[in-house]
Amino acid sequence: MKIFFAIFALLAVMLAVYPFLGDEEQRDSVTGLPWQIDVLDDGTTRVFGLRIGVSRLADASAALGDDMELAIIASTDVEEVGSLEMYYGHYRAGLLSGKLILHTATSEDRLKTWRDNAEKSDYMPSGYAKKYTLSAGDKPQVLQETISGITFIPAVNLDEEIVLARFGEPTERIEQPGTMHYLYPEKGLDIAVHERSKEVMQYVSPKSFDSLVQPLR
């Protein structure tokens, strides 16, 4: 019985990493994968079928579906208006799944207005932030906001071998306690591999990459 469970656990791990290290032909037949980053002639990038700095939240809703949350997230321990985010808790491309968060660079005036009109507010599980659920009346205008960045948190844990196999050699590595950042400035991508938590991939426009990594330095 113990041997059965050991084999089952091994198979589960193999299936989990298959989307990253599986058959090349099968992988390439699937679109919307996190390493499928197109660098366009105008300097922008396209990933998950969305152009960072060009596509709107409405475009994301049309491409990825309306099974998402749209809210303003604000810290509770500092004075801030917050940030507008569109959150997909069950993003899937082929066998690969994870959480997808779309960010915007919305002006503070608009954020204040939409936050004041929010239908409700709830504390996030951490207790350090609050989520303001937007009113139905504001959503048509909110959906016209431009996507300034994307965060993807894969369901499977990654390591350096997988990162290098799928994304190639990074331009730079920055190590922090318990975390290694793999930086790809030409793609606007920072991959944070954590020892004790889920990995995080952050995508921005290449021209905005310095502002993303400056806090790491």
Side-chain angles (χ1 to χ4, degrees):
M1 183 64 70
K2 291 182 179 179
I3 295 177
F4 170 79
F5 281 114
I7 294 174
F8 179 82
L10 178 60
L11 287 173
V13 172
M14 292 176 63
L15 287 173
V17 301
Y18 174 78
F20 283 92
L21 295 178
D23 180 76
E24 190 76 30
E25 183 177 349
Q26 290 184 353
R27 282 199 312 264
D28 291 344
S29 67
V30 177
T31 60
L33 296 169
W35 55 82
Q36 293 175 332
I37 307 170
D38 297 321
V39 181
L40 306 178
D41 292 339
D42 62 358
T44 62
T45 56
R46 180 171 53 227
V47 61
F48 304 110
L50 303 170
R51 288 180 64 188
I52 297 177
V54 177
S55 296
R56 302 165 299 158
L57 294 178
D59 299 321
S61 179
L64 305 178
D66 57 7
D67 182 23
M68 46 71 175
E69 294 184 48
L70 192 59
I72 293 173
I73 309 298
S75 174
T76 57
D77 59 354
V78 294
E79 287 291 331
E80 69 168 18
V81 179
S83 60
L84 175 64
E85 297 180 358
M86 178 181 280
Y87 172 74
Y88 286 89
H90 304 284
Y91 175 82
R92 178 175 292 277
L95 294 176
L96 180 66
S97 63
K99 304 179 189 301
L100 193 67
I101 306 166
L102 310 181
H103 308 277
T104 68
T106 306
S107 69
E108 285 197 2
D109 289 341
R110 288 185 177 181
L111 288 172
K112 287 178 181 177
T113 298
W114 296 336
R115 188 169 142 173
D116 290 342
N117 295 342
E119 294 180 353
K120 63 176 182 178
S121 63
D122 301 289
Y123 282 97
M124 303 288 283
S126 67
Y128 296 111
K130 291 186 74 173
K131 177 176 68 175
Y132 295 83
T133 302
L134 301 175
S135 70
D138 285 333
K139 283 184 179 178
Q141 186 179 12
V142 171
L143 288 172
Q144 298 309 308
E145 290 295 305
T146 301
I147 298 169
S148 62
I150 299 175
T151 298
F152 180 62
I153 305 173
V156 60
N157 289 327
L158 308 183
D159 58 20
E160 180 172 88
E161 179 184 0
I162 295 175
V163 170
L164 298 184
R166 294 316 309 155
F167 296 90
E169 186 68 30
T171 300
E172 182 181 1
R173 292 172 171 86
I174 295 181
E175 186 173 6
Q176 294 182 315
T179 305
M180 178 67 77
H181 291 266
Y182 299 83
L183 307 181
Y184 302 83
E186 72 285 354
K187 298 178 180 179
L189 172 62
D190 168 23
I191 303 177
V193 176
H194 301 284
E195 290 181 356
R196 299 185 178 180
S197 60
K198 290 292 185 181
E199 279 60 59
V200 177
M201 303 177 188
Q202 295 187 78
Y203 303 80
V204 296
S205 173
K207 66 180 181 182
S208 303
F209 189 73
D210 285 344
S211 62
L212 174 66
V213 300
Q214 190 59 42
L216 303 179
R217 304 188 189 283

